[in-house]
Amino acid sequence: TMQTVKSLFLPLALCSEGISVDQSFIDGNAWRNIPRISMYNFVKTLMKVSNLIHRVGTMERYLKLGSREKSLPLCCAVVLEAVNDAITSITSALPSGMCQYMPELSGLYSAAFKTSVGGRLWDEALEACISNSEEDDKNDNLKHLIVEMVRMGDIGKLVDMSLTVVDGSGDLFQFATKIVEEAALEQKDDVDGCLDYWGCLYTLHASRGNWRQAAEAMDLCGKVAVSNALSKPKPLTSGASKKIMDQASLSAHVCAHAVSLVEKTARQYIGEQRDTILTKEDIDRRAVRASALRALSMDECSPDSISSILKSPSLDTIDILARMGYYELAIAVAAGVSSKRMSNPSGVDVFFDSLRHVLCTYLVPAAMACSATGDEDNQLESRSKIIQIRASSSICEQEIDCTSGPSTTSSFTSNSQSWASSDQSAHSLQATMAMNLLHQYTTAYSKRCGGLGLSVASAI
């Protein structure tokens, strides 16, 4: 209150000492006609406010020194009550026109905001933020509040508060989405950043049913993750690489899911400009590829640099997936490439070409218990692929059941225990499983890819 007291009474003090002041100021004030008792009550009110503000400052100092994590909300509530007492004393005892220009009032609202945030009293923090008449302080506090709620993981509370009207120009949702997106972009170079701003942005849009905006948020999340990986001059640590691949895969699948929830089929796309529009089919293909690349990056025999994995063309990705035994993932990526390119210029179907390459070059040698390539890849070719083959066989059998009913062909996945308990060696066991999977693929895709059986038989 010293600033307010000085601005009000300094001219009076100077005049009483015979010191000249600005004449226009003296002539323009009605302080000469104020009764002495009124002046006394006015000064008494200011002194009361000063005492309350001093009490707030003292309690804040003790709050910082003595509070523990468990008792912090309760202690902050006590300090907040003292702050509100000071605010009430000012607003109830002084004219509104005077309160508007008192810096002490803005400082008290800032103190109420900081105390509320410190105690995770989010409703009280928002109220203090909105009540502050200083626009700069209000905007800074609003940003700090939203970021702090994300940091503490109180996303549900932020969604509940998003209906609060701010300044009559819109609800908190508009401010929250903008602030969270800005915070996410500011953190894009921090690979080890632990704050899930993108997940929060998705949650905010999903809470309003804005599925296209939610999909666009996750699309941007994936692009930022991939761009971050490709822009690093030095190789990333294994933990950072895993986090980037997880984020890229998760964002691709969440984006695909969000787009599928858009009610009108004609609006199931993201992007505004013609050259940047992604349809639902494009997004689904990207999700399949992202899952395949993530599985590839987790393999112990995969390239050390995730940049080379992310940059690899689709055909190279199909080849290395099949070489490592991820046959189902290789075929899924090939199906995505086929639906995008439709066919080769020569008229040969891209999917048939890729499927024949996967089966004849890699699965047939595995079924025949021989190596597909030279000595340089001998370690990769000779390693066990039993887990990958079992997973591929199970997925293929499920797809057959969905399209043509229960399969009458025998599947290794249904009697894996009997195989494991037999006298077969691991090498012959893998060959038997691979032959079973080869039979499943040939049967499943023969109608779509004419001549596939003949190509497989020729390779055998």
Side-chain angles (χ1 to χ4, degrees), residues 59-79 115 118-119:
M59 296 180 69
E60 284 182 326
R61 287 193 295 271
Y62 280 102
L63 177 65
K64 295 177 181 178
L65 293 175
S67 299
R68 298 180 180 179
E69 185 67 23
K70 292 183 178 180
S71 61
L72 187 59
L74 180 60
C75 295
C76 288
V78 174
V79 177
T115 303

Side-chain angles (χ1 to χ4, degrees), residues 114-158:
K114 293 177 182 178
T115 303
S116 301
V117 170
R120 303 178 191 175
L121 307 173
W122 306 124
D123 292 321
E124 291 80 357
L126 180 59
E127 182 180 357
C129 181
I130 296 175
S131 301
N132 199 331
S133 59
E134 292 289 336
E135 288 298 326
D136 293 338
D137 291 345
K138 180 186 297 185
N139 293 333
D140 292 341
N141 290 343
L142 189 60
K143 180 177 181 180
H144 179 70
L145 171 62
I146 294 172
V147 171
E148 191 67 16
M149 293 182 73
V150 176
R151 190 181 72 85
M152 300 307 300
D154 287 340
I155 309 300
K157 182 61 177 178
L158 179 58

Side-chain angles (χ1 to χ4, degrees), residues 177-190 195-198 201 216-217 219-225 227-228 247:
T177 52
K178 180 181 179 180
I179 290 171
V180 172
E181 184 173 348
E182 290 175 352
L185 293 175
E186 290 175 0
Q187 190 187 251
K188 66 179 182 180
D189 294 330
D190 184 10
L195 299 184
D196 187 15
Y197 290 115
W198 294 113
L201 186 60
E216 289 174 348
D219 172 65
L220 187 56
C221 172
K223 289 179 179 178
V224 168
S227 175
N228 196 12
Q247 186 174 358

Side-chain angles (χ1 to χ4, degrees), residues 295-370:
L296 181 60
S297 68
M298 296 173 64
D299 195 285
E300 59 182 4
C301 297
S302 66
D304 294 333
S305 173
I306 63 171
S307 298
S308 60
I309 297 177
L310 294 171
K311 291 180 180 179
S312 61
S314 296
L315 295 181
D316 291 347
T317 301
I318 295 171
D319 182 77
I320 192 172
L321 285 169
R323 187 186 308 170
M324 291 186 173
Y326 300 103
Y327 306 110
E328 185 61 35
L329 291 177
I331 293 173
V333 174
V337 175
S338 174
S339 62
K340 184 176 182 180
R341 299 182 182 177
M342 298 306 293
S343 64
N344 279 332
S346 60
V348 178
D349 181 62
V350 175
F351 176 73
F352 174 48
D353 209 19
S354 299
L355 179 62
R356 181 171 54 187
H357 174 73
V358 171
L359 299 187
C360 297
T361 306
Y362 296 107
L363 190 53
V364 167
M368 303 301 295
C370 60

